[in-house]
Amino acid sequence: MSEKADSMRAEKADIVSNGVSPSPPNEKDIGHIAKVKGLDALPDPDAGCSDEERARIDKALVRRLDWMLIPWLTLLYLVSFLDRTNIGNAKIDGLVTDLHMTSGQYNACLSLFFVSYAGFEPLTNILLKRLKPSIFLPIIMCLWGITMTCMGLVHNFSGLAAARFFLGVAEAGLFPGVNYYLSCWYKRSEIGIRAAIFFSAAALAGSFGGLLAAAIAKMDGVGGKHGWCWIFILEGLVTALLGIASYWFVHDFPDDAKFLSDDDRQRVIRRLKADSQSSAEHEEFKMSYFWASVKDWKTWAYAVVYMGCDGALYAFSLFLPTIISQLGYSSTKANLLSVPPYAAAAILTIFIGWLADRTGQRGWCNVGVSLLGIMGFSMLLGSTNPGVKYAGTFFGALGIYPCVANTIVWAANNTEGVYKRGVTLGFVIGWGNLNGVVSSNIYRAQDKPNYRLGHAVVLAYMIVFLLGGSLFTHFALVSENKKKLVGKSDHLIEGKTDEEIELLGDRRPDFIYTI
């Protein structure tokens, strides 16, 4: 056994046998960790500081990162999700009737968005890395804001279909890009709550969108436009303006972020290195990173789990106003009644993000939350009582939204390497969003008011892919960790240089998977 393998084995000794990720290192271990992970080769701006001083400096650094990164990114995703799902609010305000569309044509418009959205997602993280976030994100926001505005100017099915397709192209880079971006700033034990706050904007968008749509729809007749037209036009203009502002409010990666001092830059890179990550450092793209992601079983396992999340997510968010309107409420009241389920989902999403960070049990968090969703859609499927069905929408929202953020963080936690992680998240999120095509076509007009087919398909997605996939992935990762702990992966580093070991990414014997 080589000296490097012995060092890695010593580092892994404090990990419990069930595969839970190790606790953060004590300062007394800093010298050993520096040797194992190559930190001794990096400048240490806090050399000579006491343990208490280091802890205080680190806490202040993380707090500053939070204020500089999270609020604006959360706002951008709120706008993004609002723009892709407000068509559901527009539908119950007369969009289908005014454009002389059939139910099938409306569903086709929904499907076209997900085809382009999913198709472009695997490529976007590479573009994000090469163009810089401060360039890439403002460009795509301005493009989708313009497209959104054009949706309010269409006169027929063809125009709406074209606009939805290009909206998917433009929006494709935001969600995978920001999740990948956050993983390049925070430790694996820190990203969950941040990603949950970011994704909670989706639930808030559903809540806020219902209120906003109800208000904007009252502009019916202004400028000769229908109320639903103004929903698209006003929200699109706001998106374009936010896109322009994002040039100054979106920061680049740690190795190039202008708001960081040289000392803080080194602190960010060192703390990620200590967490078995190299994502803050510069790395040139190679096709080997792409193939490493494609050949990794974890990529496809997370794609299956995320498929269960997104198939349910888009069915719920696109059709919730329609489902509620079939309980006997007017379009305005249906939009307003869609607010509380989303608000509850936002709160639980943030709580699960915090809980998963604290416990390291992302798989079990998925399992527990998915049971709420399964219960909710069982209520929607099995009951005809309006009160029970409305309660089912609450449990449905609670069982979907927290799992989306938690699954993406789970995938990011267990994929190391700048470009491999970017490609993996692109594949996982792209495949999940492609299932929006299914979601767009399962709530058919002929199935109202109970929509049994739609509820049954969503229920199957949650049981088979979300619950089943989470259980499989959890136990498979536990098995992988046990193999690493007993040294069955140590042969991978025999005879390799430090640089070659680093290129192994999450296959390194000292990289313990988050379960």
Side-chain angles (χ1 to χ4, degrees), residues 33-50:
I33 293 176
K35 180 179 179 182
V36 173
K37 300 178 184 289
L39 289 178
D40 51 348
L42 296 175
D44 184 1
D46 303 317
C49 291
S50 66

Side-chain angles (χ1 to χ4, degrees), residues 169-303:
V169 173
E171 280 203 39
L174 185 72
F175 186 66
V178 171
N179 279 283
Y180 163 56
Y181 173 79
L182 291 177
S183 73
C184 296
W185 281 94
Y186 293 99
K187 292 181 180 180
R188 290 187 289 168
S189 61
E190 298 169 340
I191 189 176
I193 183 63
R194 277 85 185 175
I197 292 171
F198 167 69
F199 183 71
S200 68
L204 291 175
S207 179
F208 176 66
L211 294 171
L212 187 61
I216 296 177
K218 294 185 181 299
M219 294 179 64
D220 187 44
V222 175
K225 295 291 182 184
H226 299 289
W228 61 263
C229 295
W230 286 111
I231 294 174
F232 295 144
I233 293 170
L234 294 181
E235 293 179 11
L237 291 174
V238 170
T239 297
L241 291 174
L242 288 174
I244 295 171
S246 292
Y247 177 76
W248 291 277
F249 286 94
V250 171
H251 302 283
D252 293 322
F253 291 101
D255 60 349
D256 199 34
K258 300 297 188 294
F259 76 92
L260 288 176
S261 65
D262 288 340
D263 283 351
D264 279 347
R265 195 183 321 280
Q266 293 301 329
R267 291 183 181 110
V268 171
I269 293 173
R270 286 180 64 85
R271 69 196 310 274
L272 292 184
K273 272 279 192 180
D275 192 46
S276 299
Q277 298 189 63
S278 58
S279 299
E281 300 178 283
H282 180 72
E283 182 176 282
E284 295 295 333
F285 177 72
K286 300 176 184 177
M287 280 303 295
S288 59
Y289 300 138
F290 173 86
W291 292 115
S293 174
V294 171
K295 295 177 182 178
D296 190 341
W297 70 268
K298 299 191 303 297
T299 299
W300 306 110
Y302 287 122

Side-chain angles (χ1 to χ4, degrees), residues 15-33:
I15 305 173
V16 297
S17 61
N18 66 356
V20 176
S21 300
S23 56
N26 297 320
E27 290 297 333
K28 66 181 181 180
D29 299 324
I30 200 76
H32 168 67
I33 293 176

Side-chain angles (χ1 to χ4, degrees), residues 52-68 186 194 259-260 264 267-268 271:
E52 292 76 12
E53 290 172 326
R54 282 182 178 271
R56 186 172 63 253
I57 291 170
D58 189 68
K59 184 177 181 180
L61 174 63
V62 173
R63 188 185 304 115
R64 186 169 183 230
L65 296 182
D66 288 342
W67 281 111
M68 296 298 292
Y186 293 99
R194 277 85 185 175
F259 76 92
L260 288 176
D264 279 347
R267 291 183 181 110
V268 171
R271 69 196 310 274

